[in-house]
Amino acid sequence: MAAVNSKLETRSSKLILDCNGRGLDLSRPSVMGILNVTPDSFSDGGVFLSRENALAQAVRMAEEGADIIDVGGESTRPGARPVSTQEEIDRVVPVIEALHDRIPQPISIDTSKADVMRAAVAAGAGFINDVRALRDEGALATAAALNVPVCLMHMQGEPRTMQEDPRYADVVAEVAGFLRDRLRAAREAGIPARSLVIDPGFGFGKTLAHNLELLRSIGKLRDLGAPVLAGLSRKSMIGKALGLPVERRLHPSVALAVMAVQNGASIVRVHDVGPTVEALRMWQAVYS
Ligand code: 7PM
């Protein structure tokens, strides 16, 4: 592990995040592929088949050029039924273990629960993606002890009700203020500043107008000193702006990923890895 760390550090101590021994290079735009691990109620194969399907999908995203795969057991999804800690661990751990053997990229765990963070990192995950920004009990201390990078996301309200009537006096100032407070809390808990990533949380307690203003203002979030992650893929803001159902949101999603990067995002979290990677390679050919 020391050898891996020093190798990552000699290349660039600031631009490459050490994700449990695997590097995430933030000197160019990075693509995080979304992997939802949920029992497939339509499959006769039960847990086994849906696990094999998830693995195959993750390997494909890795081959298409994903820089990191985000594994989620669905407890943080807006409107999702709350899942018990044990159920979340039973869903994600086997997938993380198998994926860790099959792909070289770092693996992210999408969770808010300290016990899930611990089990996922023991299984090979090297990055924590927390839509609650380490506000759940024990999450700050656990993330600090696990010594992996963390994404802190903004959310107004709670997933079940957050889209009912989101209000802000100044959405950019309020999101930036929240993220500044969580960055400070994370550093005070012992997480090094270089391991922290921030995310405005598109769609998490925001109207279309709020989301658009945040997208145009990613540069102001970058001024907080941490790399910015943007999750815009297939989101309902596309449906609201263009009247398109979720299965027709590929092209606008790719456009939004490019706009996020142009405005200063370092990582984009997407479902459609191949098209996004190609678009961002073109962005790099123009701007680097
Ligand atoms: C239904 C609605 C299902 C919304 C899933 C979602 C983000 C995230 C999600 C994000 C980070 C989705 C969302 N969104 N984590 N998790 N940033 N860091 O579209 O924007 O995947 S769940």
Side-chain angles (χ1 to χ4, degrees):
M1 177 59 107
V4 178
N5 281 335
S6 63
K7 207 192 299 172
L8 292 178
E9 275 173 31
T10 43
R11 264 183 291 175
S12 168
S13 61
K14 209 179 150 51
L15 294 176
I16 300 181
L17 291 184
D18 178 357
C19 300
N20 201 0
R22 297 181 179 195
L24 181 63
D25 183 0
L26 299 185
S27 68
R28 51 171 177 76
S30 286
V31 173
M32 171 183 272
I34 302 169
L35 187 71
N36 290 320
V37 184
T38 48
D40 182 358
S41 49
F42 301 101
S43 158
D44 292 335
V47 210
F48 179 76
L49 243 191
S50 57
R51 187 175 296 163
E52 286 305 307
N53 283 340
L55 273 173
Q57 201 197 323
V59 169
R60 185 181 151 194
M61 290 194 287
E63 288 169 351
E64 288 176 343
D67 299 288
I68 182 169
I69 304 294
D70 188 37
V71 178
E74 273 248 304
S75 70
T76 60
R77 300 288 176 277
R81 172 180 73 88
V83 173
S84 78
T85 302
Q86 195 54 51
E87 193 174 343
E88 202 175 327
I89 290 173
D90 291 344
R91 285 181 186 183
V92 296
V93 161
V95 171
I96 292 168
E97 283 174 348
L99 201 52
H100 190 259
D101 288 340
R102 284 171 174 69
I103 66 168
Q105 289 93 339
I107 298 163
S108 161
I109 175 67
D110 178 352
T111 192
S112 296
K113 297 191 184 90
D115 291 340
V116 180
M117 293 172 190
R118 226 176 278 113
V121 172
F127 186 101
I128 293 168
N129 173 28
D130 185 4
V131 301
R132 295 180 191 277
L134 304 179
R135 286 176 294 163
D136 276 15
E137 199 179 324
L140 271 173
T142 299
L146 291 171
N147 196 28
V148 296
V150 180
C151 178
L152 305 168
M153 199 195 79
H154 174 271
M155 164 164 57
Q156 184 185 78
E158 284 298 307
R160 204 172 48 81
T161 53
M162 65 191 178
Q163 288 305 103
E164 279 170 17
D165 185 22
R167 282 167 191 262
Y168 300 84
D170 180 338
V171 66
V172 176
E174 285 176 52
V175 168
F178 171 88
L179 293 173
R180 184 186 303 111
D181 290 348
R182 297 314 297 161
L183 282 169
R184 187 183 307 118
R187 282 191 308 261
E188 284 171 3
I191 305 175
R194 65 170 183 287
S195 299
L196 294 166
V197 172
I198 54 175
D199 182 341
F202 292 103
F204 285 81
K206 284 121 190 156
T207 64
L208 171 61
H210 295 142
N211 289 318
L212 298 178
E213 193 177 346
L214 285 166
L215 175 59
R216 290 187 293 260
S217 306
I218 286 175
K220 285 185 189 160
L221 301 180
R222 250 186 44 155
D223 292 343
L224 296 173
V228 174
L229 186 154
L232 294 151
S233 183
R234 299 184 188 173
K235 282 199 172 163
S236 65
M237 60 183 282
I238 299 170
K240 285 172 192 142
L242 306 180
L244 290 172
V246 67
E247 66 275 12
R248 291 198 48 208
R249 296 178 188 166
L250 167 62
H251 300 90
S253 293
V254 173
L256 289 170
V258 174
M259 285 186 269
V261 164
Q262 180 86 20
N263 290 350
S266 297
I267 307 169
V268 289
R269 182 179 176 276
V270 305
H271 301 88
D272 303 287
V273 169
T276 309
V277 165
E278 286 189 359
L280 291 177
R281 284 188 183 146
M282 194 67 233
W283 181 89
Q284 261 188 277
V286 176
Y287 287 104
S288 69

